Every structure is written in C-alpha cells, then in structure tokens.
Amino acid sequence: MTALRALALAGLLALSGAGAAQAPQPAPVSDAVLAKVRASDQAAGREDFSAAADRLAEALELPEGASLAPTAQRRLHAYIARYAAWSGDLPRGLRHARLTTGFADAELEDWAMHAYIARDLGLHDEVADTFREAFRRWPRQVRQDHDLDVAQAVWATDFDSPARYALLKALYEGGFEWAWTGPADELRLDLALQHLARGEQAAAREVVAGITHPRLVIELLADRRYDAVRDPALTAEALPRLARRRADDLRARALLDSGVVGIQAEYASALLMLGENEDVVALAEQVAATIADNPFKGDVYVDQHEQLSWLYDRAGEALVRLGRKDEAIAMYRRAAATREDGQDNVSQVLTLAHHLVSAGQPREALEVAASVGRMSPFGRMVQASVQHRAALALGDQEAADAALGYLRDNREQGESVYAEALLDRGQDDAAAAALVANLENPVERGDTLYSVQRFRDSASLEPARDARWRAMLEREDVQAAINRHGRLLELPIHAPW
C-alpha cells in the first residue's frame, strides 16, 4: 500500500495531527473525493503519473474538495506537483509546488520539492529564495539534509542576483555550516564579495575575519579586492598552521562521526596540503577494508554513495605525488567505478579519462569519456577537453578541431577549461589572452588567481604540460594582468587537491 493510498483510506480526516483532538473536526471526506484519490493511486501504480496528477486535480475541483482540511489540500497539491514532475510536465509541477508552499503548515519536504522543480526549470533565483525561506524555518534540518543543495542554489544564480545576496546573508546570519565538516567558508567568501560590490566594507571585514580554510585564505591573500578588509597581519606563512589545524579538526570530527566518509575525504584533502600523501593512501585503504569487511547488507557510511568516490580520488592524487603512477591510475579507476546513487559517477569518470590521456592511453580515455551519460554543461566541457587532448595524442586533427570548436562555442560554461585546451593546442597567445580575460572578469577572477599560485612542488602525471602552464604565467601580458588584480605568492603548502 502506497503512502497516498493509506492517506486516502484513512479518510483524510485527522491530518492536522494528534494535538488537535479538541479542535473542531473537518467534515467527513466524500466518497467522490476518495474515489478520485484511489484512482490517482492506481494510476501511479501503473506509473501513469500524468493521469495520477489529473485525478487529484479533479478531486480538488469537486465541490467537496473545497471543504477538505487545509492540510489535506496541501498534501494533494504536493502529490500533484510530484506526479506532474515525474511525468515531465515541470511547469504544472511548479504551479502546484508553489501552491503547496503557500500553505501555513507546509513542511520542509514541500519546500525542497518546490526548489528542485524550480531548479530543473532553470529558475535559479526562485530556488535561492525557496531555500532561504526553508532555512529561516528549519535551520538545523536544512543544514543537516540540504547543505549541498543550498550551496548549489547560491552558485547557480548570477553573481549580481539579489536572490544570491539575500540567501548568502541569511545563511551567514543564521550560522549556516556544512553538515559534517563545519564552517562554510566558501559561502562566506562569496558573501564578502557581495558586500564589497555594494561598498559595504565593514560588513565584508566582519565576514572575512572568520575565514580559516587554507584555500580561501589563499584567495584572500592573492586577490587585491580583499586588501582593504582582510587582516594586514595575515600572510602566507600562516598556511601550514591553518592546514594543520584543519586536518586536526577534521580528524576529530571523523572520530565523532565515524559513519560519515565525507569527513574522511575532506581530511584527506587537508593531508594533501601538508604533503602527508602516505597517510591519504592509508586512509582510503582503511575505508575500503571497512566496507569490504562489513558482514551486513547495506552501506557502512551514511554518505557512501555520494562521498566515497571523492576519497578515492584524493588517494589517487596522493599516489601521483608519491610517484606511484600505475597505482594512481588503479585508484582513479576505483573512484570512477564507485557509483553515486546507482548512477554513473560523472566527475570521477571524467577525471579518470583525463588521467588516462596523461598516462599515454588516449584510446581508452576516449572510451571512458564516451561512457558518461547525462552531465552538467560544465561536465560536457570537461568531456570535450578529454576528447581534444586524446585526439591530439592520436594525431586525429579532425576530431581535435571538432572538440576545440565545441569548447570555443561554449566557453562560458568553463572558461578555464577552454584556456587550458588552447595551451594544449600550442596556441599560447590565445591561451594567454583567455587567461587575462578571466582575470579581468570579476566572476572568474578569484578562481583564476588561485590557479596561478605557486604551491610546493609535487610529482605529476604530465610534467611537460605543467611546464607549459608555468611558462605561460611568465609572459609579460599575463604577469601584468595578475599584478593588476592580485599577486603571485610562493606558498609553503602543497595544492589541496
């Protein structure tokens, strides 16, 4: 019996909860409404979700439908929204999702559904507004269950979107943190930029004062926009101490929440900064052994399907830095084979494909990249980059031209990916021009400045490609653009990952 059938057969009478025992009881649900609800449930059982939505809409249109308790009406609208979305009618789904969250007793599940349908329609400001209201009502639950959804809601909006600014402010003022790993410094830095864009220096100064994540501290030091608001005593020499503090904090969190592999993945990233690569590999193998030794069915870690592949990915990077290239490729294969909720693991599959090109296996790289199904626009850019590099390695000029053409035509989906492809092609002037354009672009500037910083040396799968990148950074036009907007730093830590 489905939840909706149970709801129908219970009579839709006491949906306001047990605490309403002394409140006036709603009128009995008519046989006509119950018949429509049962018909909807039968259609849903056949996976005819359009018909399922139609039957519930008909129930609400009956004269008796108007007399249903508000909670019953809300739940019917919620099911219509869900069924409409499942049938592919997203606009209809959104109409009913909006009606659902318009009820005073709407639940977090209703607000999340509203956000997901709006997201699938590309209504990113509405997604941000929806999660902002949800966080206002249920801060702890949103942090625990929807922290990554909230982050994606922020980053999907345009930089100058009022909805982005409002969501970031609400998160900061409400003490939002990542569910398992603590302070959301990434979002705080974004809010600081929002304040600076509005001339709110005092507010920006308050926000950046609490940022301690080494990667974000590097951005604070490298980007001149923060010079007036960051602590002038903050220097690159603080980075090893901050990295050690982060590693110790994450290790403690991992001990407290031993069933969360995502903490282990972030801990591995901190260890990479400190150059403790053997410990990263040992951590990944320990987690793998724990999973293999589990005598029960089911997952060992609550986030195993979402985060395990990222731990393996970091272990692959650690093996590269240790010079153990064959083992690194094997670890990247393990990461790519770890499925996410039964779906292809797009990020790690494409990462494996890139590393296969670097390891001299371009044909397999093409096969791996082609195996990816649905992906984001940025993922498609990464896939085209693999195809471009593999075609160059195979001497297939036509395929290389086609891939580079795709990257050029869609460069707004991944400016850095396009710039790297130009460098791979040997078009150094064009690659430098693209890098300079990214530095001039306020939205791209932070990540671009981070990408040019000088970390402690680590082994690489393709040192010649890295050397071309470093040579480009020495060009006068590139140096002038870097110095105009930021600075190059000699950093006393390794790249986080």
Side-chain angles (χ1 to χ4, degrees), residues 12-151:
L12 293 168
L13 293 175
L15 293 174
S16 57
Q22 297 181 356
Q25 293 297 308
V29 178
S30 72
D31 289 342
V33 169
L34 288 174
K36 293 292 185 183
V37 173
R38 292 190 183 98
S40 170
D41 185 69
Q42 291 167 0
R46 300 190 304 271
E47 297 189 359
D48 185 352
F49 298 117
S50 179
D54 289 342
R55 300 294 85 75
L56 293 183
E58 291 166 1
L60 286 169
E61 291 168 359
L62 291 170
E64 301 93 327
S67 66
L68 290 172
T71 297
Q73 293 186 44
R74 170 180 61 79
R75 292 190 178 182
L76 292 181
H77 281 296
Y79 273 102
I80 294 172
R82 190 172 289 111
Y83 287 153
W86 289 349
S87 73
D89 191 347
L90 292 175
R92 183 187 190 186
L94 183 61
R95 287 195 302 273
H96 285 276
R98 287 169 174 168
L99 289 169
T100 301
T101 53
F103 284 86
D105 67 341
E107 300 172 348
L108 175 55
E109 179 184 358
D110 301 322
W111 286 89
M113 178 182 64
H114 181 169
Y116 296 152
I117 296 175
R119 178 197 62 194
D120 291 346
L121 284 166
L123 301 174
H124 302 304
D125 283 0
E126 183 167 347
V127 177
D129 288 339
T130 301
F131 272 120
R132 175 165 56 87
E133 178 61 21
F135 180 67
R136 185 186 70 81
R137 297 182 181 208
W138 304 281
R140 184 184 62 82
Q141 296 96 317
V142 169
R143 176 199 169 195
Q144 189 66 39
D145 299 332
H146 297 285
D147 58 340
L148 297 183
D149 292 327
V150 168

Side-chain angles (χ1 to χ4, degrees), residues 124-125 128-129 157-167 194 198:
H124 302 304
D125 283 0
D129 288 339
T157 58
D158 292 336
F159 177 78
D160 58 356
S161 163
R164 184 189 189 112
Y165 179 52
L167 176 55
Q194 294 285 327
R198 291 165 173 79

Side-chain angles (χ1 to χ4, degrees), residues 5 35 39 41 78 108 145 192 213 218 239 243 279 284 288 326 340 425:
R5 182 178 300 173
D41 185 69
L108 175 55
D145 299 332
H213 192 305
I218 292 169
L239 290 169
D279 289 343
D326 291 343
E340 294 183 350
R425 193 59 170 265

Side-chain angles (χ1 to χ4, degrees), residues 186-339:
E186 298 86 344
L187 300 181
R188 293 179 182 180
L189 191 67
D190 198 323
L191 176 59
L193 278 180
Q194 294 285 327
H195 285 312
L196 288 171
R198 291 165 173 79
E200 300 165 355
Q201 285 203 353
R205 186 175 295 110
E206 176 189 319
V207 172
V208 302
I211 292 176
T212 60
H213 192 305
R215 188 195 191 285
L216 284 305
V217 170
I218 292 169
E219 289 197 36
L220 287 175
L221 294 168
D223 193 329
R224 293 188 185 278
R225 288 177 291 185
Y226 302 113
D227 285 358
V229 296
R230 65 174 172 82
D231 183 353
L234 182 66
T235 67
E237 283 65 38
L239 290 169
R241 173 176 53 82
L242 293 174
R244 174 56 63 192
R245 180 193 298 174
R246 179 165 177 79
D248 291 346
D249 175 71
L250 289 166
R251 177 172 172 75
R253 290 176 183 270
L255 291 172
L256 290 171
D257 289 301
S258 59
V260 183
V261 74
I263 305 176
Q264 308 278 20
E266 285 301 306
Y267 177 45
S269 184
L271 293 175
L272 286 173
M273 285 188 272
L274 295 164
E276 298 175 6
N277 300 306
E278 293 281 8
D279 289 343
V280 174
V281 177
L283 178 63
E285 294 297 355
Q286 177 186 345
V287 167
T290 299
I291 294 171
D293 293 342
N294 178 28
F296 306 105
K297 291 183 178 180
D299 296 337
V300 176
Y301 301 98
V302 296
D303 56 346
Q304 188 167 314
H305 288 283
E306 297 83 20
Q307 295 296 325
L308 179 61
S309 60
W310 293 102
L311 175 59
Y312 291 157
D313 195 75
R314 288 165 171 87
E317 176 62 22
L319 287 163
V320 169
R321 295 182 186 187
L322 290 167
R324 294 153 59 180
K325 296 183 179 180
D326 291 343
E327 293 175 72
I329 292 297
M331 186 63 76
Y332 286 126
R333 291 186 191 278
R334 187 190 295 184
T338 304
R339 296 172 70 81

Side-chain angles (χ1 to χ4, degrees), residues 438-452:
N438 290 342
L439 289 166
E440 300 292 346
N441 183 341
V443 176
E444 299 287 340
R445 187 177 303 152
D447 286 341
T448 305
L449 281 169
Y450 179 83
S451 73
V452 304

